[in-house]
């Protein structure tokens, strides 16, 4: 229901039209259209927050200078913190540092031992376990953890979701894997999972479908803001490389 009279009516109409058009361009209308129509004010505000602000990286990522310059010093400091104050938060910080440094076995041990009591279903630890198990090649361990997190809104666009889809593929569940990759598609966003979907299609011998995924990504670059292009440049570069490879195959076919 709209606010009565004045300029509010036109402002809400413009905002609603913007959100609907944005949703249609990204192919997410099935999820959002009825919300935007039935509750336009709150629906539009929630849409802008969840689909534009949080998805487009408007907030600049924080750079951990200590971790970049001297990762060993950071780990030593965190180990000392755990030694003197053995809390859940300190242990998880240490495990995260181990994982970032490639010390996956040490990270796994802490994550596994941390899922007890009130923290038995801690979302961050479970998501990190997915990353750690995937890096160790323990794909069958990834799947049940991912299923526990599956209904959480943040899981849909997370690294854990990508690794879940790849784990399904690597355990010979290709149809289920493709279903998950398709859920992560969306125009002008989701560039990492779309690239991974393209690679999945390439491995499946579906070169034409893969070529379409990669070219769609590259064609969308010009419509993005400088911040968006910069934050996704690695996926555009990878997609460009794959297009070159697939184009070469096409020429020789």
């Amino acid at each position: 229901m709209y606010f009565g009279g004045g300029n509010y009516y036109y402002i809400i109409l413009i905002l609603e039209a913007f959100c609907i058009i944005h949703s249609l361009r990204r192919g997410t209308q099935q999820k959002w259209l009825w919300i935007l129509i039935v509750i336009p004010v709150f629906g539009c505000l929630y849409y802008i927050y969840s689909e534009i602000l949080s998805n487009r990286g408007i907030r600049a990522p924080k750079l951990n200078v200590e971790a970049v310059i001297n990762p060993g010093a950071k780990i030593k400091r965190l180990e000392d913190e755990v030694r003197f104050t053995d809390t859940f938060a300190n242990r998880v910080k240490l495990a995260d540092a181990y994982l970032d440094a490639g010390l996956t076995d040490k990270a796994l041990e802490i994550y596994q031992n941390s899922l007890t009591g009130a923290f038995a279903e801690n979302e961050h630890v479970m998501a990190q376990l997915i990353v750690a198990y995937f890096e160790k090649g323990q794909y069958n361990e990834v799947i049940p953890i991912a299923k526990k997190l599956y209904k959480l809104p943040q899981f849909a666009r997370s690294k854990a979701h990508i690794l879940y889809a790849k784990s399904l593929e690597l355990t010979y569940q290709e149809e289920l894997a493709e279903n998950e990759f398709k859920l992560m598609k969306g125009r002008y966003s989701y560039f990492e999972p779309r690239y991974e979907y393209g690679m999945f299609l390439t491995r499946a011998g579906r070169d034409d479908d893969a070529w379409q995924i990669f070219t769609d990504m590259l064609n969308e670059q010009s419509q993005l803001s400088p911040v968006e292009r910069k934050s996704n440049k690695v996926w555009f570069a990878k997609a460009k490389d794959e297009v070159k490879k697939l184009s070469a195959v096409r020429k020789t076919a």
Side-chain angles (χ1 to χ4, degrees):
M1 192 172 176
Y2 297 114
F3 295 124
N7 294 328
Y8 284 118
Y9 175 79
Y10 298 103
I11 293 171
I12 294 167
L13 274 182
I14 292 169
L15 185 62
E16 184 181 29
F18 166 79
C19 292
I20 289 173
I21 292 170
H22 187 272
S23 178
L24 290 170
R25 287 179 65 187
R26 296 185 59 220
T28 59
Q29 66 270 20
Q30 289 185 342
K31 175 182 177 183
W32 286 105
L33 202 56
W34 71 271
I35 297 175
L36 295 170
I37 292 173
V38 175
I39 45 173
V41 179
F42 297 106
C44 288
L45 292 175
Y46 184 59
Y47 179 87
I48 290 170
Y49 171 77
S50 62
E51 293 293 326
I52 299 176
L53 297 182
S54 62
N55 193 44
R56 292 197 165 195
I58 288 177
R59 289 173 292 181
K62 296 180 180 178
L63 177 63
N64 190 325
V65 177
E66 179 188 22
V68 173
I69 296 175
N70 191 352
K74 178 186 177 182
I75 288 174
K76 178 65 167 59
R77 177 176 59 79
L78 292 173
E79 287 173 340
D80 289 341
E81 288 181 8
V82 170
R83 192 174 300 112
F84 291 112
T85 312
D86 188 4
T87 64
F88 172 82
N90 284 346
R91 289 195 301 272
V92 172
K93 286 180 186 177
L94 176 58
D96 290 347
Y98 281 150
L99 190 60
D100 290 340
L103 302 172
T104 310
D105 288 330
K106 287 188 174 183
L108 265 175
E109 183 179 0
I110 295 176
Y111 290 139
Q112 290 166 338
N113 293 334
S114 296
L115 290 176
T116 58
F119 304 105
E121 295 187 356
N122 183 269
E123 297 165 12
H124 173 76
V125 172
M126 293 171 73
Q128 293 292 82
L129 265 177
I130 288 175
V131 177
Y133 279 131
F134 188 88
E135 289 186 1
K136 294 292 294 181
Q138 297 176 240
Y139 310 120
N140 284 313
E141 298 291 344
V142 169
I143 294 170
I145 299 173
K147 288 181 178 178
K148 291 181 181 179
L149 298 175
Y150 195 86
K151 292 184 179 181
L152 297 176
Q154 60 269 33
F155 182 78
R157 58 168 63 103
S158 67
K159 180 72 172 180
H161 194 181
I162 298 172
L163 299 182
Y164 172 51
K166 294 176 74 172
S167 295
L168 288 170
E169 178 193 2
L170 291 164
T171 53
Y172 308 103
Q173 302 177 72
E174 290 87 354
E175 185 176 348
L176 293 177
E178 182 164 11
N179 289 339
E180 295 305 320
F181 280 121
K182 286 181 177 178
L183 291 174
M184 292 183 276
K185 286 180 63 181
R187 298 184 68 189
Y188 304 100
S189 60
Y190 298 99
F191 294 108
E192 181 181 359
R194 287 166 69 188
Y195 167 79
E196 294 292 354
Y197 182 30
M199 295 305 297
F200 166 85
L201 294 170
T202 300
R203 290 189 292 271
R206 293 161 58 185
D207 289 354
D208 289 343
D209 292 336
W211 186 87
Q212 189 64 57
I213 293 284
F214 296 134
T215 53
D216 285 346
M217 289 174 58
L218 296 174
N219 290 337
E220 291 168 15
Q221 284 187 88
S222 61
Q223 302 298 317
L224 302 176
S225 70
V227 173
E228 291 171 315
R229 286 196 295 271
K230 184 176 180 180
S231 63
N232 290 289
K233 64 180 181 180
V234 63
W235 306 114
F236 294 133
K238 287 175 177 287
K240 188 174 182 180
D241 288 342
E242 293 304 319
V243 167
K244 289 180 180 177
K245 293 176 186 176
L246 292 171
S247 297
V249 172
R250 283 184 166 195
K251 289 179 181 179
T252 59

